[in-house]
Amino acid sequence: MILNAIYITAATLVTISILVTLYRVFKGPSMPDRVIALDVIGIQLISLTALFCIILNTTAFIEVMLLLAILAFIGTVAFAKYIEKGVVIEHDRDR
């Protein structure tokens, strides 16, 4: 009973931290700050999903956590490439 209250409190705090991090995404002074904030939101969503797995006593969301991790990684790599080169996908071919 007490553990469920602790888990729900932790989920609430993670949700609040996601909202605070969203402020950095929209207000960030530079593009790298926004990329890092998006990566942090991805990590927070993974932890929130893990908390839901614990609260609901199920393993049904393990695949969701893996998918979120993959999407966060791909998004971070794409943003890093955009910051470095200005484009994500290069269209020029060597003929």
Side-chain angles (χ1 to χ4, degrees):
M1 186 68 181
I2 270 281
L3 276 175
N4 282 337
I6 292 173
Y7 294 145
I8 292 172
T9 304
T12 304
L13 290 174
V14 170
T15 304
I16 291 170
S17 69
I18 289 172
L19 294 174
V20 170
T21 309
L22 273 175
Y23 173 77
R24 178 56 60 195
V25 170
F26 293 120
K27 191 70 176 176
S30 66
M31 185 66 83
D33 291 329
R34 291 180 175 142
V35 171
I36 291 171
L38 284 173
D39 199 31
V40 168
I41 287 176
I43 294 168
Q44 291 168 337
L45 284 174
I46 293 169
S47 65
L48 189 63
T49 307
L51 283 169
F52 281 141
C53 283
I54 293 170
I55 290 169
L56 299 175
N57 195 19
T58 184
T59 59
F61 300 115
I62 301 296
E63 291 86 8
V64 173
M65 291 179 355
L66 182 61
L67 181 66
L68 285 171
I70 291 169
L71 287 175
F73 173 74
I74 290 172
T76 302
V77 169
F79 277 126
K81 189 172 179 184
Y82 175 74
I83 289 172
E84 180 184 352
K85 295 185 178 181
V87 294
V88 177
I89 300 173
E90 297 173 11
H91 293 290
D92 45 322
R93 295 182 182 178
D94 294 325
R95 293 183 184 179

